[in-house]
Amino acid sequence: DIQMTQSPSSLSASVGDRVTITCRATQTITYYLNWYQHKPGKAPNLLIYGASTLQSGVPSRFSGSGYGTEFTLTISSLQPEDFATYYCQQTYISPRTFGQGTTVDIK
Amino acid sequence: EVKLVESGGGLVQPGGSLRLSCAASGFTVSSKYMTWVRQAPGRGLEWVSVIYSGGAIYYADSVKGRFTISRDDSQNMLYLQMNNLRAEDTALYYCAIEEVGATFRMDVWGQGTTVIVSS
């Protein structure tokens, strides 16, 4: 199975900060990488798919990049509603796997 | 409107069984890749199982041999039969559509149903 590792596991940031989260796969997944935002009590929300394609309705401050085994999610200017946990997920093969998550909280 | 509604969660003893249901509306389950994802208390998201539109099925190693995913095309329902439940299966279980295109992604989720395995 492909293992996904995110870093950092958590970070503290302020409104307006630029935030970058990294995700690494144990083998190549080409561009089959998605990013989700998850808030307590809500269903996960797809942000980015295909490593860099912004899901419809997602603000443009979110962006994704990468190919192969290394990927990043960037929030260009953190907003109050962005404090949440973020997960990467590979859909290159089944079983699909998620990273362990990165929690973004208020500094 | 495309919608998913899970049900069937509850309290069950270790070793017991439970069947989760996911009612779909606004699309046909047989035309989509349908998945189950769970989140244990204080833990991250864990992918559990998928059934492809063509019928292929995959499971996470942690549930293989104990859980069975299925669908009822006539009722437009997705199911997860969970047997020999363990304390570590305690979680909020989501069903989701895995959209197929140039890549695969889960873009529609239900609100989840809670399973508690405890004596």
Side-chain angles (χ1 to χ4, degrees), chain A residues 38-42 83-85:
Chain A
H38 194 201
K39 296 180 179 179
K42 293 200 164 186
F83 292 98
T85 301

Side-chain angles (χ1 to χ4, degrees), chain A residues 1 31-32 34 36 38 41-44 46 49-50 55 87 89 91 94-96 98 100, chain B residues 37 39 43-45 47 50 52 58-59 61 94 98 102-107 109-111:
Chain A
D1 299 356
Y31 53 85
Y32 286 83
N34 305 322
Y36 300 87
H38 194 201
K42 293 200 164 186
L46 176 67
Y49 63 92
Q55 170 72 351
Y87 296 90
Q89 181 211 22
T91 55
S94 288
R96 314 308 205 197
F98 287 94
Q100 81 278 18
Chain B
V37 173
Q39 184 178 34
R43 305 291 297 272
L45 298 176
W47 182 91
V50 65
Y52 290 173
Y58 296 89
Y59 298 99
D61 289 345
Y94 297 100
E98 184 177 288
T103 65
F104 307 97
R105 68 271 190 186
M106 292 189 285
D107 62 350
W109 297 68
Q111 286 303 303

